[in-house]
């Protein structure tokens, strides 16, 4: 629902703003899609002002007033661009406005407003400040129903991953291809009621060292004995709810070499260090930002001498978008100083990628529910899945 | 393909830029999708520099280098944000860069770069100018195969619209509902090989006066005698080619009242005035901007006393997106001074909307092919489709 009342006032005061100004045009701002009860075509510029005091105001094109039926406030329609500027001027002049911006693109997920729109707001007398904390609070938090959808998806994915990895690692040398494992995973999870938006990642041997590898039919690898097997899968109960996103690791032999075991143990410890940091902050009642959890995981990997091989952030926000609008666990690709507020969820997925050899990633999700940080699935992977 | 060579040099010189800098992140810039041979996941920031002199340069995240396989130039990989800034600094400092910006959001379709990214480029020593003319030239022009797809779709849509409107207007008073006509249109066009991304608009009587009306099952109107019927339909041979987009008008009776006929004739003349303006400019070899064609159509409607009832622009760019990245026929919602360059296409669709009564829109498309402006379908609607 549209944020309002004391919670909005409090959040605006914390953000140093008089109002939240949400801009939307052709889907460029996921926050608008999340917060506003928009339906139908949205092909013209829409501004929605949520002030600390007074009623909400929408500035909307006359041919697209229909999606605003039931809007809890005033609607200022425009047709000509001069009318748009005039209407906008009346709501922004002299105000401090929180918008989806991020100075110098520090957090690109939060940097959603085109430069010309910010110029226009400023020329009309508004001051623009980042809305990051408002987005985490109102757009990225899971509902309890979404948390339940996520938990269910998480347990199904974990069961499927365990089963299909155990099956695959026993078939080395048989010609088993990456796309066949992909197909089996989709089939097994779909049979248990999940939907995918994208096929899972399955990487054998050196392909596991490419963090975003996607097997292509006809060009995918066949599993050789003693290869590492990486399975990264994300799916949910519906496309419009919160997905689960996990990575599981297998080894196509009975005894992984010491180097594989060392890398696996390092990644697992890094994953658990990030989780522990979030849990300790929650126990102490201390606010914690996304970048701190990244540092905890990265510290473990750097201390083990693999720092240069951990080439991505530790985790990403998960909400109705797999790469969500909330805080990421990141002090690497960005310095994400947004707080891990109650109600948000994210992935924890450190990895070590040794080009030409193999890669290892372990991924679970964390939901900051009312009972504190909750890790999904309930039983994260402890040991590599190896051949019988 | 990626623009290069003398044509790029000429276009950059016209735009007053040393290079085109294309920014992409999570699909926010349709121009990137069009011009760059990207495949696979694109979840991190990507910058591609196309300079007037020298080879192209891509700045891409290490985990997403794969989509750049075969990139015809240098690739500068980054992982940490400090590396991104350093790499970007080497390619933007001291340069005049054309980007997808539009001062004060004058043309929102061209305003694609988040404010934080423009701030960053400026801080790193670059000067940013709008890339509008480059986009029209390289991203919005149709290929000859796309023009052929469009022509074929246009003739099918015209035939389906004529047939289904003729059938519908004969069924007034029978309980025929808007969603049933919608279903018939989709079925007929699909049977002839077209695909829809969105159902067509079907509006009976007063519903036709809402330019973006969408009939909802269970809440849609049943056709009464002597009502106006509006059918706006867009579809194509595939989702990834150029669609056709047309609006056709019917009247559910034998003799439309004078007011309906007057409005229809006015709209038709407005449509033909816009087309004539484009054709005359082409014959004279005179460059013409989108806003000029809007003025031609709007002038006819204003002169007839219906100016206040024409509440949208005259037409929109059509390319692989239905609302494309090229010039629109618009001096109303925006002042679109981008030129109607050879190879682009657009809709021509003036309308008059009389709230509570009825609305009339007539829509054809124009492609600026090598033989001059080409109107599709070949036979635009001349007369209202009425009951036998």
């Amino acid at each position: 629902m549209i944020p309002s009342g004391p919670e909005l006032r409090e959040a605006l005061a914390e953000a140093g703003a008089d109002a939240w100004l949400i801009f939307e045009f052709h889907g460029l701002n996921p926050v608008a899609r999340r917060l506003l009860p928009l339906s139908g075509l949205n092909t013209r510029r829409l501004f929605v002002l949520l002030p600390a005091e007074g009623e909400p105001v929408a500035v909307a094109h006359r041919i697209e007033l229909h999606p605003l039926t039931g809007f809890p406030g005033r609607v200022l329609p425009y047709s000509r661009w001069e009318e748009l500027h005039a209407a906008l001027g009346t709501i922004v002049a002299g105000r401090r406005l929180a918008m989806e911006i991020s100075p110098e693109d520090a957090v690109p997920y939060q940097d959603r407003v085109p430069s010309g729109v910010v110029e226009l707001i400023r020329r009309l007398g508004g001051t623009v400040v980042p809305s990051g904390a408002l987005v985490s609070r109102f757009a990225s938090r899971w509902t309890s129903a979404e948390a339940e959808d996520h938990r269910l998806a998480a347990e199904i994915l974990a069961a499927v991953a365990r089963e299909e990895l155990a099956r695959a690692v026993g078939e080395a040398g048989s010609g088993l291809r990456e796309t066949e494992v992909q197909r089996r995973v989709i089939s097994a999870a779909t049979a248990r009621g999940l939907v995918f938006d994208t096929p899972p990642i399955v990487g054998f041997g050196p392909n596991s060292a490419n963090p975003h590898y996607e097997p292509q039919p006809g060009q995918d690898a066949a599993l050789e004995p003693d290869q590492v097997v990486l399975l990264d899968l994300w799916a949910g109960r519906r496309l419009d709810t919160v997905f689960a996103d996990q990575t599981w690791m297998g080894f196509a032999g009975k005894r992984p070499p010491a180097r594989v075991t060392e890398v696996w143990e390092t990644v697992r410890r890094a994953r658990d260090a990030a989780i522990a940091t979030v849990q300790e902050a929650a126990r102490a009642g201390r606010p914690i930002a996304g970048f701190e959890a990244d540092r905890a995981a990265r510290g473990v990997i750097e201390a083990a001498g693999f720092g240069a091989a951990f080439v991505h952030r530790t985790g990403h926000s998960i909400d109705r978008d797999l790469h969500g609008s909330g805080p990421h666990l990141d002090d690497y690709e960005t310095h994400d100083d947004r707080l891990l507020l109650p109600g948000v969820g994210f992935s924890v997925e450190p990895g070590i990628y040794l080009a030409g050899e193999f890669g290892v990633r372990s991924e679970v999700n964390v939901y900051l529910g009312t009972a504190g940080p909750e890790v999904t699935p309930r039983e994260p992977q402890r040991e590599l899945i190896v051949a019988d």
Side-chain angles (χ1 to χ4, degrees), chain A:
Chain A
M1 277 323 304
I2 297 186
S4 63
E7 196 181 0
L8 176 63
R9 264 200 301 283
E10 182 188 314
L12 283 169
E14 285 172 13
D18 308 319
W20 192 355
L21 182 63
I22 299 172
F23 172 70
E24 166 56 358
F25 175 69
H26 275 279
L28 62 75
N29 189 354
V31 172
R33 205 169 7 105
R34 190 71 41 77
L35 290 179
L36 307 175
L38 296 174
S39 58
L41 288 175
N42 178 220
T43 65
R44 301 302 196 282
R45 289 172 283 183
L46 170 70
F47 291 87
V48 172
L49 182 88
L50 305 178
E53 307 294 337
E55 64 182 345
V57 184
V59 178
H61 196 278
R62 270 201 186 79
I63 73 165
E64 289 183 345
L65 296 177
H66 190 73
L68 290 166
T69 306
F71 179 76
R74 272 187 305 149
V75 176
L76 305 179
Y78 72 90
S79 303
R80 292 182 181 268
W81 60 266
E82 297 93 334
E83 280 181 287
L84 167 63
H85 288 200
L88 211 47
T90 66
I91 62 171
V92 308
R95 273 209 162 102
R96 284 180 68 82
L97 304 154
M99 296 188 78
E100 284 70 66
I101 63 166
S102 177
E104 293 191 1
D105 200 45
V107 182
Y109 300 86
Q110 167 64 21
D111 199 13
R112 295 294 187 172
V113 183
S115 62
V117 174
V118 172
E119 279 176 11
L120 177 62
I121 301 295
R122 288 185 177 140
R123 204 257 294 157
L124 294 171
T127 301
V128 179
V129 300
S131 66
L134 291 149
V135 173
S136 297
R137 190 159 175 160
F138 294 105
S140 201
R141 268 190 321 199
W142 303 0
T143 65
S144 56
E146 287 166 342
E148 203 44 45
D149 286 342
H150 170 83
R151 285 183 196 106
L152 191 137
E155 297 308 324
I156 294 174
L157 285 189
V160 168
R162 284 181 189 282
E163 289 163 19
E164 295 302 334
L165 274 182
R167 182 176 169 195
V169 296
E171 295 179 34
S174 72
L176 177 69
R177 302 188 79 92
E178 290 163 339
T179 52
E180 169 61 11
V181 178
Q182 210 179 34
R183 197 198 57 71
R184 289 176 183 176
V185 167
I186 292 172
S187 167
T190 304
R192 297 185 212 186
L194 297 192
V195 295
F196 289 78
D197 60 353
T198 319
I201 297 173
V202 178
F204 294 163
N207 290 340
S208 62
N210 171 357
H212 267 194
Y213 177 68
E214 294 176 80
Q216 303 297 332
Q219 297 166 39
D220 56 328
L223 186 60
E224 302 297 331
D226 295 332
Q227 280 190 323
V228 164
V229 178
L230 181 148
L231 169 61
D232 185 346
L233 68 179
W234 52 100
R237 297 186 71 183
R238 295 184 314 281
L239 287 177
D240 65 351
T241 189
V242 173
F243 274 29
D245 184 6
Q246 301 171 9
T247 305
W248 293 77
M249 298 302 308
F251 178 77
K254 289 183 195 300
R255 274 173 303 276
R259 184 163 164 89
V260 170
T261 306
E262 179 193 5
V263 168
W264 163 253
E265 295 289 339
T266 304
V267 165
R268 198 198 63 195
R269 285 191 295 115
R271 179 196 78 191
D272 294 344
I275 295 169
T277 299
V278 173
Q279 286 169 330
E280 281 155 24
R283 268 196 297 274
R286 179 178 75 78
I288 175 174
F291 77 89
E292 299 178 64
D294 180 79
R295 283 193 187 166
R298 199 167 301 277
V300 170
I301 290 176
E302 284 171 349
F306 293 110
F310 179 16
V311 294
H312 57 68
R313 61 190 171 195
T314 294
H316 57 83
S317 164
I318 299 175
D319 50 29
R320 274 65 54 185
D321 294 312
L322 186 72
H323 291 99
S325 298
H328 304 305
L329 308 191
D330 192 7
D331 194 26
Y332 182 75
E333 301 181 34
T334 69
H335 178 72
D336 202 322
D337 57 3
R338 292 176 295 175
L339 295 176
L340 301 174
L341 297 176
V344 305
F346 44 85
S347 71
V348 179
E349 50 176 313
I352 293 176
Y353 307 95
L354 304 173
E357 294 184 69
F358 64 90
V360 169
R361 178 164 68 249
S362 180
E363 179 181 17
V364 297
N365 303 152
V366 174
Y367 169 56
L368 299 182
T370 48
E374 174 185 346
V375 177
T376 68
R378 281 190 303 269
E379 300 287 342
Q381 185 173 9
R382 304 300 311 162
E383 305 293 338
L384 285 172
I385 294 168
V386 300
D388 277 341

